Amino acid sequence: MSIDATDRAIIEALQSGLPLVPAPYAEVAKKLGLEESDLTTRLAAMKESGVIRRIAAAPNHYKLGMIANGMTVWDVDDAVLAEVGPKVGALPFVTHSYERPRALPDWPYNLFAMVHGSSREEVEEKRQQIVDLLGDALRSSDTLYSTRILKKTGLRLRKKGG
């Protein structure tokens, strides 16, 4: 995969986020000397090729009052992981979930699900719903609570010549 100078300029223009205006793509296109349709066509092509995975909002959960943020980790029977994993990921309070390989003998967990709440009690109530969903497939689990945001950015290209 490669990108041309215009694609690179688009990525650089968007890497700090879309402007908070009624027509953000039109404003970015204007700054780059492009038509809005050219910008959106190039973004779609970069997404299709895998250069860009997605364009999404990255909320600051702490500023939204979600001060209890727990990455719940689950040791789930491999025989049913493909069945139950998507069900966990589809729960309305799970913001993202992943299947990961175990790192035995220290790390038995193969399913991760991020749960946010305004308190740890709220997160634990939501966690219990996952326990109920997993049923007999659950072998063990834990919750890793975050204490601060270490990184909250997307792609960052280094400026050419910089």
Side-chain angles (χ1 to χ4, degrees):
M1 274 182 257
S2 64
I3 58 174
D4 65 15
T6 302
D7 289 342
R8 184 180 181 86
I10 291 169
I11 293 169
E12 287 177 356
L14 295 176
Q15 64 189 4
S16 295
L18 285 165
L20 296 175
V21 297
Y25 291 110
E27 183 168 313
V28 171
K30 184 178 178 182
K31 286 181 180 176
L32 295 173
L34 300 170
E35 294 295 322
E36 182 179 7
S37 61
D38 293 336
L39 175 80
T40 56
T41 298
R42 282 178 170 269
L43 285 171
M46 286 191 279
K47 188 174 176 188
E48 178 69 25
S49 71
V51 169
I52 294 175
R53 188 172 41 163
R54 63 187 171 138
I55 296 175
N60 181 328
H61 296 94
Y62 289 94
K63 289 186 177 180
L64 293 172
M66 307 299 267
I67 57 173
N69 304 296
M71 176 58 79
T72 61
V73 293
W74 309 89
D75 178 10
V76 177
D77 184 345
D78 289 326
V80 297
L81 181 60
E83 175 190 342
V84 298
K87 291 179 182 176
V88 170
L91 290 169
F93 55 82
V94 172
T95 57
H96 52 283
S97 65
Y98 306 92
E99 176 185 349
R100 297 274 190 220
R102 294 179 174 89
L104 298 174
D106 299 322
W107 190 258
Y109 309 111
N110 59 349
L111 178 64
F112 295 59
M114 190 70 195
V115 177
H116 302 278
S118 58
S119 67
R120 286 191 179 200
E121 291 77 23
E122 180 182 345
V123 170
E124 289 302 317
E125 289 173 12
K126 293 174 178 175
R127 185 180 178 286
Q128 184 59 48
Q129 292 181 48
I130 298 173
V131 169
D132 295 343
L133 188 153
L134 293 174
D136 294 338
L138 176 59
R139 296 179 181 154
S140 64
S141 66
D142 201 349
T143 303
L144 311 170
Y145 284 99
S146 62
T147 56
R148 60 188 166 139
I149 296 174
L150 298 176
K151 180 178 185 254
K152 201 69 173 179
T153 62
L155 171 70
R156 293 286 187 262
L157 294 180
R158 186 179 310 164
K159 294 221 180 238
K160 282 195 166 188

